[in-house]
């Protein structure tokens, strides 16, 4: 991950004398082609990573019988896997090169995706097997820490806020894409080339015939196409850095400060995106025994006049808002600097998390009170996604400005790896502490990060403005 090329890697897929800071020789077309091909594959990686979040809330309705705790742990597993695998993937760009890394990673996405498509067709899979599939889905999250640093090699520092923001933001759209399209795809019997239909029992509603395998199988051809595009269209920058050299980032204190800040932003985004549906279900829907008793068409809605929300109609909006914010605000971070927007992100998260906390204990005294609580919960969650998305853009602008090129790629990979544990820590935190206490921890974390941002990066005369 040095700006110095490795002359032992020349010809074929390996570029020669690559220096994006030299306008005279920089191949702008190749840089943007790399961005778009890699972004297409990254979007599919996020689809694979968050496919379980679209399926898990419906497993019991499909005939499985898991407890709330088991479902939270299952939804958390892709986050644990992604965090661990990102530590691996962050070392791959200098070792494999962009072409091999992107192509092979995209092919690996097929395994977990096919597995979910098979196992939703009959409620017979043991819990451990679904946990293994959830773990393998984390490969899609692990890819981020390889794809982003490798793309940063192709662009000059003045454009990295925009380039990385576009790639990460459009890649993040994979989350909302899978959550938005799942309820549509499962209703299209004509797409069900493999397997038959299932009976979906939704609390308070008539049973529904669905083809849940469509939610997984439809992405497999695109993953194969993406791998083929990467193999035939991409090149690799011969960055010279062995494993030992890559880990010298840990001697720089800003690696640790930026890790804390990215946990606040992407950790929040990924954690909420993975758990949004389950949280909504258990607070305001069929998972709350104080609101609904029973399941399927025979379910009894205890609060008359209250319409139980279907999570699949709402959850995609959170990831959509967060991803859009990352794309829209990335050019602004290039113009104004990242630190000021990280500060705004932190302050916004303090306010929005605090607001949402008022709706984490549903008032079941009346339909009006319950509906009002759900409205506060929903809009508060969207505000959290908005400010986390802004912070995702701004922190990725800061890192290339704070660190020299070789270290910047490593720090991007490392911070992304740690923040990818968001779905895991959110699921575990809600299970162990309850939503209110865990959101309170989130407020305290954001307060700490605002102080760090102001002291280290945003105040006049800050040691590392960026």
């Amino acid at each position: 991950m040095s700006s110095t090329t490795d002359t032992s890697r020349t010809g074929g897929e390996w570029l020669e004398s690559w220096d994006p800071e030299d306008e005279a020789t920089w191949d702008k077309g190749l840089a943007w082609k790399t961005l778009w091909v890699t972004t297409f594959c990254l979007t599919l990686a996020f689809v694979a990573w968050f496919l379980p979040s679209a399926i898990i809330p419906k497993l019991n309705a499909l005939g499985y019988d898991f407890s709330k705790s088991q479902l939270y742990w299952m939804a958390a597993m892709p986050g644990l896997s992604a965090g661990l695998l990102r530590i691996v993937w962050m070392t791959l760009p200098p070792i494999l090169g962009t072409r091999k890394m992107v192509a092979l990673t995209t092919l690996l996405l097929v395994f977990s995706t096919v597995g979910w498509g098979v196992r939703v067709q009959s409620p017979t899979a043991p819990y451990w097997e679904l946990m293994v599939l959830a773990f393998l889905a984390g490969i899609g999250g692990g890819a981020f820490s390889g794809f982003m640093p490798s793309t940063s090699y192709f662009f000059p520092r003045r454009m990295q806020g925009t380039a990385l923001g576009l790639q990460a933001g459009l890649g993040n759209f994979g989350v909302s894409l899978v959550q938005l399209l799942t309820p549509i795809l499962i209703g299209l019997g004509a797409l069900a080339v493999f397997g038959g239909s299932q009976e979906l029992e939704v609390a308070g509603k008539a049973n529904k015939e669905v083809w849940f395998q469509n939610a997984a199988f439809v992405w497999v051809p695109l993953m194969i196409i993406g791998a083929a595009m990467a193999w035939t269209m991409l090149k690799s920058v011969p960055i010279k850095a062995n494993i030992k050299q890559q880990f010298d980032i840990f001697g720089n204190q800003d690696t640790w400060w930026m890790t804390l800040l990215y946990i606040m932003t992407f950790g929040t985004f990924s954690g909420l995106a993975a758990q949004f549906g389950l949280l909504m279900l258990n607070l305001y829907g069929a998972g709350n025994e104080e609101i609904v008793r029973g399941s399927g068409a025979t379910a009894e809605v205890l609060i008359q006049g209250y319409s139980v929300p279907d999570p699949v109609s709402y959850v995609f909006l959170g990831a959509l808002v967060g991803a859009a914010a990352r794309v829209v605000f990335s050019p602004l971070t290039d113009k104004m600097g990242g630190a000021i927007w990280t500060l705004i992100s932190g302050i916004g998260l303090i306010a929005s998390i605090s607001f949402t906390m008022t709706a984490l204990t549903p008032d079941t005294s009346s339909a009006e009170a319950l509906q009002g609580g759900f409205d506060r919960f929903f809009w508060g969650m969207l505000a959290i996604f908005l400010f986390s998305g802004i912070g995702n853009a701004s922190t990725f602008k800061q890192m290339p400005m704070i660190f020299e090129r070789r270290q910047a790629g490593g720090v991007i990979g490392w911070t992304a790896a740690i923040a990818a544990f968001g779905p895991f820590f959110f699921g575990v935190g809600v299970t162990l502490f309850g939503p209110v206490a865990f959101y309170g921890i989130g407020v305290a974390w954001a307060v700490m990060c605002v102080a760090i941002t102001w002291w280290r990066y945003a105040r006049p005369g800050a040691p590392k403005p960026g």
Side-chain angles (χ1 to χ4, degrees), residues 89-107:
W89 255 258
M90 65 177 276
T91 68
L92 295 184
I95 297 172
L96 293 180
T98 300
R99 175 181 174 235
K100 290 188 183 74
M101 180 192 62
V102 175
L104 296 176
T105 300
T106 307
L107 271 182

Side-chain angles (χ1 to χ4, degrees), residues 417-460:
I418 299 304
F421 285 111
F424 175 73
F425 286 125
F426 193 96
V428 173
V430 169
T431 302
L432 294 179
F433 304 113
V436 176
F438 189 70
Y439 273 59
I441 295 172
V443 172
W445 191 278
V447 169
M448 175 187 69
C449 288
V450 166
I452 291 171
T453 303
W454 174 255
W455 165 69
R456 186 72 180 167
Y457 307 112
R459 65 182 170 88

Side-chain angles (χ1 to χ4, degrees), residues 146-427:
F147 287 22
M148 295 292 286
S150 73
T151 297
S152 73
Y153 302 157
F154 288 84
F155 287 87
R157 294 176 69 180
R158 63 181 175 81
M159 296 181 63
Q160 287 192 14
T162 298
L164 296 181
L166 283 171
Q167 181 166 78
L170 294 175
N172 289 168
F173 274 123
V175 182
S176 54
L177 195 63
V178 71
Q179 292 175 338
L180 171 64
L181 293 183
T182 292
I184 299 173
L185 293 172
I186 64 175
L188 300 177
L191 286 179
V193 179
F194 303 102
S197 64
Q198 305 91 48
E199 195 80 5
L200 187 69
E201 297 184 1
V202 180
K205 299 180 181 179
N207 291 355
K208 181 180 179 182
E209 185 181 19
V210 293
W211 295 264
F212 237 93
Q213 66 269 33
N214 292 350
F217 290 156
V218 72
W219 304 107
V220 173
L222 294 177
M223 292 170 179
I224 295 173
I225 291 171
M229 290 172 58
W231 189 260
T232 57
M233 298 174 67
L234 296 185
K235 298 287 187 178
S236 298
V237 177
I239 297 298
K240 186 177 183 179
N242 59 34
I243 298 294
K244 182 179 179 181
Q245 289 172 321
Q246 293 186 58
F247 284 112
D248 70 356
I249 60 174
F250 300 122
N252 189 326
Q253 65 168 301
D254 288 294
T255 297
W256 303 105
W257 298 129
M258 292 307 301
T259 299
L260 295 177
L261 299 186
Y262 201 57
I263 290 172
M264 175 186 71
T265 61
F266 188 78
T268 298
F269 170 83
S270 62
L272 291 185
Q275 301 286 348
F276 192 8
L278 271 179
L279 193 61
M280 183 185 299
L281 190 74
N282 290 330
L283 290 175
Y284 288 96
N288 189 332
E289 62 276 4
E290 294 184 3
I291 299 172
V292 177
R293 179 186 294 130
S295 62
T298 62
E300 177 187 1
V301 180
L302 301 182
I303 310 297
Q304 298 303 319
Y306 173 66
S307 179
V308 176
D310 185 353
V312 297
S313 301
Y314 295 93
V315 292
F316 76 93
L317 290 170
L320 182 65
V321 168
R326 190 167 197 165
V327 172
V328 170
F329 282 86
S330 289
L332 294 177
T333 66
D334 273 338
K335 291 180 180 179
M336 300 172 61
I340 183 62
W341 286 108
T342 301
L343 194 67
I344 292 170
S345 168
I347 294 171
L349 284 170
I350 293 170
S352 55
I353 295 173
S354 299
F355 174 81
T356 308
M357 286 175 67
T358 65
L360 296 180
T361 305
D363 182 353
T364 58
S365 61
S366 67
E368 292 76 14
L370 199 55
Q371 186 63 52
F374 173 76
D375 291 342
R376 290 198 311 277
F377 168 77
F378 177 68
W379 290 109
M381 291 287 282
L382 291 191
I384 296 173
F385 277 110
L386 170 66
F387 287 108
S388 67
I390 292 172
N392 287 337
S394 62
T395 49
F396 265 43
K397 171 60 179 178
Q398 286 181 265
M399 285 181 262
M401 303 303 294
I402 295 170
F403 301 92
E404 55 97 359
R405 178 177 292 275
R406 180 178 65 80
Q407 285 196 329
V411 174
I412 287 171
W414 166 257
T415 57
I418 299 304
F421 285 111
F424 175 73
F425 286 125
F426 193 96

